[in-house]
């Protein structure tokens, strides 16, 4: 009869963790901070930082250019860039920078977790599927807010520096602060809802990037055709297909200002009150977030 197999037990020094165990709230906050850092390439190679930060610089170009001009040239305050015009179709760079930033960052936040199968690791802990989606969406919206609110704050400061009395400008124009913050937040939430919902559909970065850019390219074309060819209510509704016109509409409504467009502009032809654009943006944002939560709630891992 052979001898029974025996083994040895070694004390490797493993000890039970007795420290503070953080819960779902801390896990969600950590994922949000991680997503916000990833949006700007923080903690990664320099090449990863160049594109998002470069787009942030492009978004701020009108404000930076105005500040530089104000430093060397005597500019009348009546010639200042109006805050309500900053992200409208009056300027090309800021809206285009927002679109490209969204197309670059949204697939990065969601696609990487799908490609490298880290979602099961997240969901095996305290973090729920709903909290994961909300944390990623909040990170995307906050990153966009840096591009929308930052240049507006810089422009407001630049306008204050142009006039003789810095304090007097703040006293006269403090009412602009609310619309600047409100419109910047809604633009960020609106764009983030669109980009994150599309990016969640594919783990491949190239496909997700093209998918995010596509509605900002083709929907304005369809919108222009409807508004310019159909002289009826259906044609007027086509203006809501253009995301850039939507942010134009509610931004001017926030500032209680009239857009300085010609009569042939689709926004003028549609002739909808600004509140309709505000309501439409809220509905699209809420619907996009709800579909994003539903996608991750039903997703098989």
């Amino acid at each position: 009869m052979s001898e029974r197999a025996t083994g040895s037990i070694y004390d490797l020094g493993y000890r039970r963790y007795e420290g503070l165990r953080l819960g779902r709230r801390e896990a969600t906050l950590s994922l949000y901070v991680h997503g916000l850092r990833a949006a700007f390439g923080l903690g990664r190679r320099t090449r990863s930082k160049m594109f998002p930060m470069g787009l942030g610089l492009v978004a701020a170009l009108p404000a930076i250019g105005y500040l530089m001009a104000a430093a060397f040239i005597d500019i009348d305050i009546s010639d200042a860039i109006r805050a309500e015009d900053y992200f409208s179709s009056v300027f090309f760079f800021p809206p285009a920078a927002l679109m490209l930033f969204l197309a670059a960052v949204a697939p990065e936040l969601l696609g990487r977790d799908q490609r490298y199968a880290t979602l099961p690791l997240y969901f095996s802990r305290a973090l729920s599927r709903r909290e994961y989606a909300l944390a990623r969406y909040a990170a995307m919206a906050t990153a966009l807010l840096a591009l929308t609110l930052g240049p507006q704050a810089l422009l407001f400061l630049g306008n204050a520096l142009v006039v003789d009395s810095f304090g007097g400008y703040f006293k006269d124009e403090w009412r602009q602060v609310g619309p600047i913050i409100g419109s910047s937040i809604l633009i960020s939430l609106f764009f983030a809802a669109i980009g994150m919902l599309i990016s969640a559909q594919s783990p491949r970065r190239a496909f997700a990037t093209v998918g995010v850019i596509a509605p900002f390219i083709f929907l304005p074309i369809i919108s222009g055709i409807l508004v310019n060819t159909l002289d009826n209510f259906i044609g007027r509704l086509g203006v809501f297909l253009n995301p850039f016109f939507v942010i134009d509409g509610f931004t001017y409504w926030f500032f209680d200002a009239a857009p300085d467009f010609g009569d042939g502009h689709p926004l003028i032809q549609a002739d909808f009150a600004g509140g309709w654009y505000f309501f439409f943006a809220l509905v699209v944002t809420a619907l996009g977030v709800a579909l994003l939560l539903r996608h991750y709630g039903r997703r098989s891992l």
Side-chain angles (χ1 to χ4, degrees):
M1 175 184 261
S2 60
E3 296 182 1
R4 297 181 62 181
T6 60
S8 300
I9 299 176
Y10 298 95
D11 183 6
L12 300 179
Y14 293 130
R15 292 184 297 176
R16 182 180 179 84
Y17 177 74
E18 298 178 353
L20 178 65
R21 294 184 181 274
L22 303 178
R24 297 167 64 179
R25 180 179 177 182
E26 286 74 14
T28 305
L29 180 60
S30 297
L31 186 65
Y32 163 76
V33 174
H34 171 269
L36 191 56
R37 287 173 55 85
F40 293 99
L42 301 179
R44 301 177 62 188
R45 293 176 297 179
T46 304
R47 187 176 61 182
S48 301
K49 301 180 180 67
M50 291 176 61
F51 192 69
M53 292 188 177
L55 288 174
L57 182 62
V58 171
L61 270 181
I64 295 174
Y66 178 74
L67 277 177
M68 294 177 63
F72 298 102
I73 305 173
D74 186 15
I75 299 179
D76 188 358
I77 190 63
S78 61
D79 298 328
I81 301 173
R82 299 192 306 171
E84 58 266 31
D85 291 331
Y86 199 87
F87 288 101
S88 74
S89 50
V90 173
F91 296 107
F92 170 75
F93 292 114
L98 293 182
M99 177 192 69
L100 294 176
F101 184 85
L102 180 66
V105 174
E108 178 70 17
L109 292 181
L110 297 179
R112 182 179 290 268
D113 292 336
Q114 298 179 45
R115 289 194 303 272
Y116 297 110
T118 55
L119 289 176
L121 297 178
Y122 283 132
F123 300 150
S124 66
R125 299 298 180 183
L127 194 70
S128 70
R129 294 173 177 236
R130 179 185 180 89
E131 289 160 345
Y132 170 85
L134 288 176
R136 287 305 198 199
Y137 170 73
M140 183 72 255
T142 307
L144 282 171
L145 185 61
L147 270 68
T148 55
L149 185 57
Q152 290 277 51
L154 190 63
L155 180 63
F156 188 84
L157 178 63
N159 288 338
L161 293 174
V162 170
V163 299
D164 296 332
S165 175
F166 188 87
Y169 180 83
F170 276 94
K171 183 178 179 180
D172 295 336
E173 303 295 335
W174 65 270
R175 292 181 182 84
Q176 286 196 4
V177 174
I180 286 174
I181 296 175
S183 60
S184 298
I185 291 176
L186 187 53
I187 291 172
S188 303
L189 294 175
F190 177 64
F191 272 44
I194 296 173
M196 295 298 275
L197 177 61
I198 296 174
S199 298
Q201 309 307 314
S202 174
R204 297 206 173 182
R205 182 169 184 173
F207 292 165
T209 299
V210 173
V212 173
I213 292 178
F216 292 97
I217 299 296
F218 295 107
L219 286 180
I221 296 175
I222 299 174
S223 172
I225 293 174
L226 289 176
V227 174
N228 292 318
T229 58
L230 298 181
D231 190 17
N232 53 30
F233 183 70
I234 300 299
R236 292 172 57 208
L237 286 177
V239 74
F240 291 98
L241 291 177
N242 189 331
F244 300 112
F245 288 164
V246 173
I247 67 173
D248 276 356
F250 69 70
T251 298
Y252 285 109
W253 182 71
F254 267 97
F255 284 91
D256 192 22
D260 190 16
F261 300 139
D263 294 337
H265 194 277
L267 209 64
I268 303 299
Q269 293 182 31
D271 195 27
F272 283 103
W276 286 102
Y277 298 100
F278 172 73
F279 178 74
F280 180 80
L282 287 182
V283 170
V284 171
T285 300
L287 184 61
V289 174
L291 291 176
L292 182 66
L293 295 178
R294 183 175 181 269
H295 172 79
Y296 279 98
R298 302 181 60 180
R299 179 183 175 84
S300 60
L301 302 176

